[in-house]
Amino acid sequence: MNNFGQSIKNIAKISPFIRKKGKLWFLLSLIQAAYNGVTPFVSALLYGAMINHLIHYFQDRESGVYQVFYLLILQLCLAQFSYLIRMFQAYFMKKFEFDLDHDLKFLTNQKVAKSPLSYFDIPEFYNQLNRVRGSVSSKFLHPIMNMFQIFQHIVTLLSVIGYLISVHWIFAVLCIVVFIPLTITQLKLSKNRYLVSYLQSRDSREIGYIANLFSDKASIKEIKIFNLSNHLNERWSQRFRIVSGQILTLARKQQWIDFGLQTGTTLFFTGISFFILFGKNSKVTQVGDFYTITQMIQNVQNSFTQLSYLTGSIYEETLYIQDFYEFIEYGDPAFAEAAAAAAAESPPTAAVQFQDSIEFDSVSYRYVNSDAEALKDVSFQIKKGEKIAIVGTNGSGKTTLIKCLLGLYPIREGNITIDGVSLHEVSPQNLQELMTVVFQDFTKYAFSAHDNIAFGDIQKYRDRELLVAAAEKSGVHQFVQHFADGYDTALGRLLADGEELSGGQWQKIAFARALFRDSEIMILDEPTAALDPYAEMEIYKEFEKLTRNRTTIFISHRMAAAKLADRIVVMQAGKVAEVGTHQELIERNGVYREMFELQAEWYR
Ligand SMILES: Nc1ncnc2c1ncn2[C@@H]1O[C@H](COP(=O)(O)OP(=O)(O)OP(=O)(O)O)[C@@H](O)[C@H]1O
Ligand SMILES: [Mg+2]
């Protein structure tokens, strides 16, 4: 019964939510359970009495008619009252469900926002996130509703068994003998069921992922061109069969066991009924009493089956709650260690102005799910106001470098300092104010053009003038001004009937978003990759102006753009291969020169 104890603990975690918004629902559910619990007992008595009176009435038409009438009215009242409770209970349940859904999803989003990016590379965390998405509140409420039902059946059993024992003591012993094996079997089965849902979660995710590919505009394009639909559909179907097969196997097993248990208990109770009714010293003398007793025996049997099923499934259902809290409380041990060690020395509250320089000092970084180091012993310096270009082959660590600098991936080896203050000590807010970034895989928000740019600095959300200025500099204004609703036009067609943008136009939007946040340090990961030659030229012509008084770090595969930088850092397989001005690096005759000349070839 260890599992049951754990289940109760899990259920207890919901109590703060109930205290906050669900008191009325809880009270109504409790009343409902108690009421429904005694109903079978009262009903069996009422109907028994009614049958006896009816028989009298049929025998001589004088007696019993009023009693039958009263009993019918009473029965009607009982049913109406039950309906009334159910009505209120259902409404308040819906209300509480919404509140709970809201609060739990809010918690989840908060957790996601607070988690370091590196967590998302950990399958354990990511899987758990997927498991806690979906209909959270109903999964939270299910086990409590189960508890109420358990309570209801206990009330039924107590009332009915009490009555039966008053008829014959043998019931007391027999009920216990039947109940215990039933419950144990159900508990065992329910544990298996959950394990399957755990095991299949990878396959389930793939099923969901492929289904998504078929509903995403971008991927449908490729599916059509590469003629992938048959292959993907096959793959989807295969996974689907595996998962459904596992579930069905378990269901079959469960059903056969249920059937066996049912047959056993039915035979058992039938035997007892015979014994009670027709054995020696039977107290049953009237048809109505016969009805009452058989009805009660059926109630006992039904409640026992329900009880064992409910106690069995409650464990399974509360595991979801446990999962949810494991997710909310998740901490990557390795990360927690590094962060705690750093935080122990001094909490990350330092504020830096950035007056002097950023320094990478022997920085190495390895992604959690990978064996190879993405950065190896990286050291170089960036002075305030400098324009630094980072070049290098695909996968050489350029993006990783800036993700570490932004604090998205806290480093564990080496040090990054701003004006001599370690990044670990700088408060996250300070860091965010200091830097702005356009990522290689920037986000395209399906909101208005205004939103898309203003998200760069939510403090200045309403400053349209400043926003238009940023839009003009990045070439956004030229096309947005022609939209029907100007800056209030939605972009993309996901949420509203908006304007669809080209890849380059989206990139200009992302650039405007970065410009809108007027930060000291500007980081651009291939900001012009999708731009046409005019737009690119325009940006680079403006580059001097746009980045004046700012420290700029930009990654580019266009060597001509790198030429504009004050200094160039050349990455190769996670290491810094060369650092210097364009002229210096050309003279050095190394990797940079090779790359530069290779590209220059094209334009000759
Ligand atoms: N989330 C991740 N988990 C594990 N490995 C990663 C992750 N992101 C990147 N890597 C690996 O780290 C290495 C460096 O990747 P990075 O994205 O920094 O390269 P890059 O220089 O920006 O390349 P590109 O020019 O293609 O953008 C690569 O080998 C890549 O496979
Ligand atoms: Mg990159």
Side-chain angles (χ1 to χ4, degrees), residues 128-142:
Q128 218 155 17
L129 172 62
N130 273 304
R131 274 203 297 271
V132 302
R133 290 281 183 203
S135 53
V136 208
S137 64
S138 65
K139 284 179 183 154
F140 262 64
L141 288 186
H142 242 122

Side-chain angles (χ1 to χ4, degrees), residues 182-214:
L182 261 179
T183 312
I184 291 175
T185 324
Q186 289 287 2
L187 275 176
K188 273 198 182 140
L189 269 180
S190 76
K191 204 172 165 192
N192 277 347
R193 220 174 319 165
Y194 191 77
L195 283 180
V196 168
S197 75
Y198 237 100
L199 290 175
Q200 81 202 8
S201 82
R202 206 203 152 272
D203 279 328
S204 295
R205 276 205 306 149
E206 192 161 333
I207 291 172
Y209 175 69
I210 297 177
N212 263 344
L213 285 181
F214 275 104

Side-chain angles (χ1 to χ4, degrees), residues 52 276-277 282-290 293:
N52 287 342
I276 300 295
L277 295 171
S282 172
K283 291 181 199 160
V284 181
T285 52
Q286 295 194 75
V287 182
D289 299 352
F290 175 80
I293 289 178

Side-chain angles (χ1 to χ4, degrees), residues 393-400 402-403 440-441 525-526 555 557:
T393 47
N394 293 132
S396 56
K398 305 181 295 296
T399 301
T400 309
I402 63 168
K403 283 195 284 197
Q440 209 168 4
D441 53 350
D525 196 347
E526 295 196 53
I555 296 173
H557 288 296

Side-chain angles (χ1 to χ4, degrees), residues 77-88:
C77 291
L78 282 176
Q80 278 308 100
F81 190 64
S82 148
Y83 181 75
L84 203 68
I85 302 178
R86 195 170 66 215
M87 205 173 80
F88 282 106

Side-chain angles (χ1 to χ4, degrees), residues 86 131 193 203 222 238 257 264 279 285 299 349-350 438 500 520 535:
R86 195 170 66 215
R131 274 203 297 271
R193 220 174 319 165
D203 279 328
E222 288 211 8
Q238 206 183 9
I257 292 177
T285 52
N299 284 336
T349 51
V438 180
E500 203 58 84
E520 196 55 54

